[in-house]
Amino acid sequence: MSYRIPEAFVGEENAKLAAALAEDYAALGSRLARRGVDIATVTEKVAAFAVAVPTWGVGTGGTRFARFPGPGEPRSVFDKLEDCATIHQLTRATPTCSPHIPWDKVSDYRELLGRAKALGVGFDAVNSNTFQDAPGQRLSYKFGSLTHSEKAVRDQAVAHNVECIEIGAKLGSKALTVWVADGSNFPGQSNLNRAFDWYLESMSEVYARLPDDWRVFLEHKLHEPAFYSTVISDWGSSLMAAQALGPKADCLVDLGHHAPNVNIEQIVARLIRAGRLAGFHFNDSNYGDDDLDTGSADPFRLFRVFNELVDASARGAANFNPAYMIDQSHNVTDPIESLMVSAMEVQRAYAQALLVDRAALEAAQAENDAMGAHCLFKAAFVADVSPILMQARSRAGGAIDPIAVYRASKYRAHKAKERPAVQGSSSGIV
Ligand code: LRH
Ligand code: MN
């Protein structure tokens, strides 16, 4: 029988922290009440907020230089589901995981769905993969996939995406995420316009196979692995494609897919305005697509993004239904700890954005009171909302301190015994 953290153990650990939490929560409640904010309302909203974890994120990640697998590495999607369920058990913030095909391919998807249900997790958007050549694949994606110069390769990539839709349908997913690495490394290597035509031609075939209640998320990325041109390199190309394909196509924002210092929250505001914001791949970065833990490098940026989301929901923006997912690579930490902290940091940014006094901010903006507006904005960011996050978790049966409970449970040591060390590849993101 594979080890699960006993619910009673979580309760015992929470009991040690309950009195301090009650005190801190009450203190924060009276401080917020002075600002006309009802802490119970914020806590309910935070408790209802969910973010999906990437199945590929519970294994140790790596770079092109090396990957250093840790103890108890998941060996299959079944092991990955266990770890995803443990993240949700302790944070109560991640009820779904986002699968990646072919990394999560199995022979019996009913068995996989059954196991997920037994573990209390579901499946979010399914991710296709035409950025690697799968074992036994007939034609290579070395020079592209949906935009390859050869029709046969484009057809193969379309067929793969259609297969992902069929797999996702068996797992209860309602969306397909398409990120293509297609691009070039040399000026002149590809025709920039024809590549975009082929993208639309191929994606319209994929789009035609979407079930009525499905969406397709187009993920843009500035560069890597292509280092001169990338076919869907920015939100403009993504929005042009989504508008050309149809109402089921929206634009997904991976926070690490932009040039340094780009104002990502303004891109989010524009996509919301266009009614085409698919959602997010949350992570953080200092230089490129670093896939660092969400909120670990620039939590203020994450807050600024959530401010746009809360503002959009407050003004009833049309077609506003973003999907929230994490997409990170955990090269030096226990992936479960990183994903738990990241899920909590996403909740933190949301809670802080709920504290922005929008009426006062609007008045200060109208009067061009730059400093007044900025201080109002910043006041929400510097508020320590930890008691709200802890309360939301513990009321939902989660851990007040997920990291402490996880470590005290010795879950990783249990998995190291259950999962003999895997001789993993020495490099690569998974
Ligand atoms: C591309 C990306 C994409 C995933 C991959 C693992 O950089 O963000 O979303 O398919 O990472
Ligand atoms: Mn991504």
Side-chain angles (χ1 to χ4, degrees), residues 38 68 103 113 134 137 153 165 212 281 290 299 346 383 388 390 413:
D38 172 26
F68 303 96
W103 297 337
L113 184 57
Q137 185 178 301
V153 180
I165 293 171
D212 292 348
H281 277 181
D290 308 349
V346 172
I388 290 174
M390 293 173 178

Side-chain angles (χ1 to χ4, degrees), residues 56 127 179 219 252 254 257 281 283 289 291 327:
W56 63 94
N127 297 267
W179 168 66
E219 185 177 0
L252 184 130
D254 183 311
H257 287 187
H281 277 181
N283 49 56
D289 188 19
D291 279 341
D327 178 7

